[in-house]
Amino acid sequence: MPPEIPLEMTAALTDSHCHLAYPGLEERLDDVLAHMHDKGVTRALNICTTLEEFDAVHAIALRYPGVWASVGVHPDNEGVREPTVEDLTRLAQLPRVVGIGETGLDYFRLGERTVAEMEWQRERFRVHIRAALQLDKPLIIHTRASAEDTLAILAEEGQGRARGVMHCFTENWDVAQRALDLGFYISIAGIVTFKNAQALRDVAVQIPADRLLIETDSPYLAPMPHRGKTNEPAYVSYVADYLAELRGVDREALAEQTSDNFTRLFLQ
C-alpha cells in the first residue's frame, strides 16, 4: 500500500456506499464517524437494504452531518416487505434521502432454483427503476452473476433516462463500458486491493475520471491492510490511495474528482 498522507495534506474523500445501520458499526457510530473524519472522509452515503431498516438508516442521516441515505430493498433479501413504487417514492422524498437502492439482481445464490425462477427479483428491480424515474433520483445498482439481465432491464425500463451507479463493481470491461454507455457511474471498493483482483484492476484503470466513485461497502470487504476485519467509512482512504497509484494520478486529484462526481450524481 502507498504510505498514508497526513490529513492536512489531503482533499476531502467521500464514501459513496456503506451500511452504517448494520451490526459492527451501528453500536459504535460516534466512534466510526469520528474515525471517518480523522481520515479525511467528510461524506458518506448510508445504504438501505430493506424497508424494515429504513427508519434506522434514515435516522443516522438526519443525526450526522455529511451522511445521506438511500431507500431500497436488496435483491438478495427474501422474506421481507416487498416495495411498491409508492413506498419508494414516498420515502425517497424525505430529507437527506438521495438515492433509490440498493437494488439490482443477484443470481449467485440460486441453490436449486433456475434463473427463470428469479422473476420476483427482476420485478423488484423494475419497481425500483420506475420509482427512480418518477423522481429523477439515481439508482444504486447491485449485480452479481447477473450482468446481462441487469443491463437489459436497465435499458428496457430506464428508457435512456435512468441514471445511477454500479456499486462495488467486479465485472469485466465489456460490462463496465455498457453501463457507462447507459450513463452510469462505476464505483470501486476495497476488493481492488486484494491480491487476486487483477481483472478488476484492469477495469479500474480504464474508467473515465468523471464517472469514477469510491466506496467501502462497510462493514464488508475491508481493503488491505485490514482485509478480514470490520470495514468502515474511514477505510475508503485506502481505496483512494491504491487507485491513485494504480491509475498513475495525484491522490489529491482523485479525491477531489471522486467527491465531485458524488456531488454531481447524488446532490445536484
Side-chain angles (χ1 to χ4, degrees):
M1 291 295 299
E4 289 197 39
I5 303 170
L7 179 58
E8 62 270 16
M9 296 173 58
T10 65
L13 290 162
T14 301
D15 183 358
S16 69
H17 192 111
C18 58
H19 299 279
L20 298 175
Y22 276 23
L25 298 180
E26 185 178 29
E27 62 271 24
R28 55 186 186 94
L29 261 183
D30 287 345
D31 289 341
V32 167
L33 273 293
H35 188 209
M36 175 179 113
H37 283 275
D38 287 345
K39 287 291 189 179
V41 185
T42 60
R43 303 185 302 181
L45 180 52
N46 189 23
I47 301 296
C48 177
T49 59
T50 66
L51 293 182
E52 288 85 346
E53 75 167 353
F54 173 78
D55 286 346
V57 169
H58 188 223
I60 292 168
L62 293 175
R63 177 180 174 187
Y64 292 97
V67 177
W68 284 265
S70 73
V71 58
V73 180
H74 191 288
D76 233 6
N77 283 332
E78 300 185 57
V80 298
R81 179 180 161 193
E82 200 63 37
T84 65
V85 172
E86 292 73 21
D87 289 330
L88 295 172
T89 54
R90 174 177 56 85
L91 296 173
Q93 294 180 80
L94 293 174
R96 303 194 70 76
V97 181
V98 297
I100 305 288
E102 174 173 358
T103 184
L105 300 175
D106 193 321
Y107 298 160
F108 185 73
R109 296 183 183 89
L110 286 177
E112 297 181 356
R113 296 175 294 188
T114 66
V115 168
E117 292 175 298
M118 305 304 283
E119 181 58 28
W120 62 272
Q121 264 196 18
R122 294 185 286 274
E123 181 55 30
R124 180 186 286 176
F125 186 23
R126 293 185 183 101
V127 165
H128 285 76
I129 298 170
R130 292 164 192 163
L133 291 178
Q134 280 195 23
L135 298 180
D136 190 27
K137 293 268 191 179
L139 289 155
I140 299 121
I141 304 296
H142 170 107
T143 183
R144 192 176 188 194
S146 57
E148 288 299 322
D149 281 359
T150 299
L151 292 169
I153 291 173
L154 275 176
E156 176 191 346
E157 284 286 343
Q159 304 169 16
R161 296 187 294 117
R163 59 193 184 95
V165 57
M166 309 295 287
H167 113 87
C168 195
F169 194 81
T170 56
E171 302 291 338
N172 60 31
W173 176 243
D174 176 66
V175 173
Q177 195 163 40
R178 290 161 65 190
L180 291 165
D181 288 345
L182 288 172
F184 277 71
Y185 290 65
I186 307 290
S187 183
I188 300 296
I191 295 172
V192 75
T193 71
F194 297 175
K195 289 182 180 179
N196 62 350
Q198 185 57 49
L200 177 58
R201 287 189 281 275
D202 293 341
V203 172
V205 297
Q206 300 182 72
I207 300 167
D210 64 352
R211 297 286 198 88
L212 177 66
L213 294 176
I214 53 177
E215 65 171 275
T216 59
D217 203 14
S218 52
Y220 309 115
L221 301 174
M224 297 295 291
H226 297 285
R227 186 176 183 182
K229 301 177 183 178
T230 299
N231 201 3
E232 56 182 273
Y235 295 162
V236 82
S237 60
Y238 292 100
V239 181
D241 290 346
Y242 192 92
L243 273 180
E245 183 174 88
L246 181 69
R247 289 167 64 95
V249 300
D250 181 75
R251 195 266 197 186
E252 298 298 280
L254 184 136
E256 184 174 358
Q257 178 74 71
T258 53
S259 287
D260 287 349
N261 293 345
F262 178 86
T263 297
R264 189 183 320 114
L265 179 60
F266 287 106
L267 303 180
Q268 291 182 344

